[in-house]
Amino acid sequence: MAGQPNQPNGEISVPVKRLRWATQRVTGHGARRKRHSIMDRFHKGAGSGEKKRESGGSGSAGQDGVISAEDDGEEHGPRRRIFFNIPLPEDAKDEQGHPITDFGRNKIRTARYTPLSFIPKDLWYQFHNIANVYFAFLIILAIFPIFGASNPGLNAVPLLFILFVTAVKDAIEDWRRTVLDNELNNSPMHRLVDWNNVNVSEDDISFWRRFKKATTHAIKGVFNQWRKRSGKSTPGKAYAEAAMDHDRPSIETRRSVRRSMASSRASFHSSKSQNEEDGIQMTPVPSPHRMDGGGRLDPSSTFEADNNTLEALNGNRSAAVPAAARFYGSVVDPFKHVSGKARFKKDFWKNAKAGDFVRLYNGDQIPADIVVLSTADPDGACYIETKNLDGETNLKVRQALHCGQKVRHAQDCERAEFYIESERPHPNLYTYNGAARWTQRDTENPEAPRTPMAEPISIGNVLLRGCSLRNTEWILGVVIFTGQDTKIMLNSGITPSKRSRISRELNWNVIYNFIILLFMCLVSGIVQGVTWSHGNNSLDYFEFGSIGGSPPLDGFITFWSAVILFQNLVPISLYISLEIIRTAQAFFIYSDTFMYYDKIDYPCTPKSWNISDDLGQIEYIFSDKTGTLTQNVMEFKKASVNGVPYGEAYTEAQAGMQRRQGINVEEEGARAHKQIAEARVRMLHDLRRMHDNPYLHDDELTFVAPDFVADMGGESGKEQMKANEHFMLALALCHTVITERTPGDPPRIEFKAQSPDEAALVATARDCGFTLLGRTNEGLILNVMGQDIEYQVLNTLEFNSTRKRMSAVVRMPDGKLILFCKGADSVIYSRLKRGEQQELRRTTREHLEMFAREGLRTLCIAQKELNEEEYQLWNQKHDIAAAAIQDRENKLEILSDIIERDLTLLGGTAIEDRLQDGVPDTIALLGEAGIKLWVLTGDKVETAINIGFSCNLLNNDMELILLKIEDDNVETARAELDKHLKTFNITGSDEELKAARSNHEPPAPTHAIVIDGDSLRLVLEEELRQKFLLLCKQCKSVLCCRVSPSQKAAVVQMVKNGLDVMTLSVGDGANDVAMIQEANVGVGIAGVEGRQAVMSADYAIGQFRFLQRLVLVHGRWSYRRLGETIANFFYKIYNNFDCTYLFDYTYILLYNLAFTSLPIIFMGILDQDVDDKVSLAVPQLYRRGIERKEWTQRKFWIYMFDGIYQSLICFFMAYLLFAPATFVTENGLSVNREAMGVYIACATIVVVNLYVLLNTYRWDWLMLLLVAISILLIWFWTGVYTSFTSAGVVFYKAASEVYGTLTFWTLSLLTVIISLLPRFTSKVIQKIYFPYDVDIIREQIRQGRFKQLDGKPTPSEGSSSSSDIMNTSPPTRPHRPAPDDERPIYPPSMAPTSTHNPRSQNGSDGTDYTNSRLSLDPPVRPSFDRPRPSFDRMRNSMDRIRPSYEQSNDFTSAALLTRVESSHSGNAVHHAKIGSSSLR
């Protein structure tokens, strides 16, 4: 039932609405591989294909057409059906009449536990620790008295204590996640109530769910009652609660009412009822539909004829498009009898169900995956921001279904009868295939048979959970996927339980000790059994028989008794100490003011306390781009108009270029900034004098060019004046920007664009007097130098990653038709009119080359004047293509290519994509430390490459390997990988992978890989993954573009498991959650936009630059401290076990608790080899962590043998003293066993504590005090305890007897010296003859070579240097370089003013290059003599620097300009011969 589109009448074309086909993402030929674990969990084996749908496409095929009832397209496995006001068919119900399909709840949980599952689940995780299993077994063993345990209850205390402490820590961590989950689940929305959703059954709730809910309510009730009785009130937010990550405001939060120039209608927010808690109507006025007596809609009062309603909804706005001849149908049955009780009521997200009607307002987040039925826009358009989904902040357009645009009221929802046939849930963010099906009733003949109809649904009709509604007053839609079935949750995965690498390796060391323990117990049991079996020995006279009664049973009992006796060999105290140490480390990380981001009041927040040592072993960092590396803020800096360069700017890239030339960038930067400030004042004065623009705000001016204003005033002649005006007019007309006006004096107009570049271009036009006021039905309204002028925009051909350009056909006020086109310079140059503007092309090309050298993103602006006949012919074909269902995108692309030819060049623009503060320095510093950084982004390739150059990931010396497999063939991908592997003389074999695992050296900065999502899907296949991994291992940088969240996680998993390395993922959006959870350490950036990444991260920071301090300082410290602490702990145990029962039992209890605990714990908490400033100044120290040298099995066994040696010395020194004879004291008593134990115990405590001190780097007053106290405590305790009779008959007065003998003090001194001599000797030899890097640096510190770092730093925000680096002097004091022989080598980020060079050849330092650029002449001033500081400064710099990468390689948008000769222009007649039949 499709009619032909409107044909134009007369000579003047009727303006058509802006087409939104190009805003959709171009999908690949196949789908991404699903994450099997997620699919297994949520689909329960039901597969869902993701192949491109033939009938509907993956773009907007469902927006402008209908399909027949039989046109299903490809089936993707089992499909789900959702019914609306239609009874469920029999095949969709079970025997009880309940729906067969379980759609799942919309409630999500990222927390690991529930109140009911916490205890069993946490115990399950804790007993993954082999030591806990061992001690639980000992406690059970000690219950039986036959094994000789004196107090089984006391034996259980250590294990219960560590289980309790760990459980409390886990509960606190998970409680934070639960709070965030509840905040999200209880977010408000408006849901239709008092109607029957046939897809779900309220009664079909499982007993288990009822039980869990009752338990939760009971626990909450008890907790609330306890709080009331204790008189505790809810405290206010404290500093420590800044990490609780509140984000989403309530829907009732007062919004600033803005009026869009695109519509004069009043906002619904200003007229909504205040009593929305009880339910509200869909519109602010009563429903205009008149009801007959039976509750049926009066067919004479259809929505189209109701002008009052249109006025109420749209503010008298006329239709944006002419009445279409095509009949799309409607799901609303106007003759259906309804109750009229349905209403929209505020409800929680968690209560949304599949099949619900929901209503959302501007600024709301999308609670579930929703198909849009209608919007406030008559065209059915709405705008969303997908930052939490794919990282992009630019607005995207979504279109309502044609058949649902009459569904605007609650009663319309009741009358809508249709069902949606949908594909199964899958994680692909960019595709969706479904169809809305209904039977159409003839309004003129209601009794006639109904006609089956259907309309395809694509991703362009769907709002995904996690997005935000923008610039749209309201939308009404239906829920299709909820909770875990939504695409964002399918891409998020399951919250993992992470354990540090040391903890996992520690289990093996415990097993080794356990094996030794079993061997000792086995020997004891065998000796015991053999001894009793002999008979006729002294045992028969001194013992009263054996316990078992027979030698075999005696040996068996002795074996288990020895297990209990030697239990200290497996150190439970180690685990208690590690929990204390890690908790303290987490507190120090949280308290570090240099990682505090004051703009959002956010400190670095550890959310997982048990993996801090993993931060010290990171080898690969995977980072998102948008919002993580960049601010996503575009600023228009420079332009070239008619061959004349304009704009003053001093970028970080330019400073880096000058640094390579030996120029003092501090002085040059200060001079440049001063010139720019003066030019800004002059430009603002000239602009105000020319036209007092009320929309110009001085603080928002980014394009500083007083000469541009002068030329607009005619200083350089009328030709240049007209060129400048026409250039700004092109910027103000060729875009898809939406305006929002904020009332005020003066008023403020904000621009909302699909790309931040577009907003920057339109904002610059506004600053120069060409202000976009808004959109009308016909086009755009501009304020040109104080005069409002309406320009009729006939067609808009939008930008996409394939076209790399956008165009607008505009009818000027004088009637002329002009096509304005902007795009990548290489694309525009190829479409210029052949043989014309040769000099202008050359000049503009040089200007763009200079702009690119400064790290700016360049675009070209061109135009073409059209004649009426040519346009009318083209527009007819364009309308036909726009209405096509099949292959619409290709048809539109062909027609766009026809008209965008033979262009005339106007000029070029240069925009700066602002990086976050300190990003280049942080990346350079991490690179110096040996850490490899990969960028995984959903953004386009060109943008990622520009950012790569700006932040030092890429440089001119690198050869970019572009992996782009066009034919979607695995064999093609294999051949491409083999070709590039040959460059490095490797084949991708298993032997090469084994060698790569053991090689931790960073690759040479000669190659970098750029790959898109479709190609990445192929190379991640099982047979190609290893080749791709080894190829990436050889490259300095890897950029993966257009990747989905699940692909990000797959890349992290490939590197983590394939190379057996420690990985860290950092991101700020929900699209980064999957890779954050997959990595060993996940870091979330708490940006202004959202907290989704923070919710699932292990650490949360405010800015990317804080990562360097988190990893290089706290990570390195934590890893080194724990490695040393664990080794000393195992040593301490072996020093202890042999003398367990030589002395009083209190020694056993206090050995780990008091005598030796404090020094080793504080070594793990406070020890520092070098301070934080030196750690950042010499990042190479971090490489020991990458190579995992601080904790190795070799180190474990060395400390074990050290402990065995010292235990033998401590015991046999005393044994040999007493072996020859029996010593008699002054009182005539002999030295008994207990007194001998004092000899051994005191010497042992001294040796242990001095050994720990010997292994400690930092000997400050606190450490020396703790060691001294621990040593003195053994003597003090022995003296005090033995003074009382409670010590026992044998041990009473033992201290006075022992301390009074010379042998005790002599033996103690000799024992200490002999025990520690080997360790002391080995350390001396190692540090003198085989020093580690840290030993050399510590020596340099003693020599004073790091004195410049001793200044007191203060955290700074907004500076060009990272606030993490300790600046050595106030900013006003000039930096005086130290002599070369006294200055250590440290990265350039230590300079007082940190800058970076996006085109640097050697990281951020760079070196001088002798290559001179012969293609560029020396700078020549224009004919009019006036200074252009920025232009001259850049031209002078280019004479000594080699050509940029773009100039010498054919990859980015600045390439090939010197060789392009209008390849798409001329001969256009042959390409234009496209008959209308080919487009149908």
Side-chain angles (χ1 to χ4, degrees), residues 1408-1414 1438-1443:
D1408 290 332
Y1409 284 85
T1410 58
N1411 301 27
S1412 60
R1413 183 173 181 194
L1414 302 178
M1438 290 177 70
D1439 292 337
R1440 285 173 285 183
I1441 302 298
R1442 53 165 274 179

Side-chain angles (χ1 to χ4, degrees), residues 926-941:
L926 294 174
E928 291 285 337
I931 298 174
K932 297 87 175 174
L933 180 70
W934 291 19
V935 176
L936 311 179
T937 176
D939 217 332
K940 56 188 178 185
V941 173

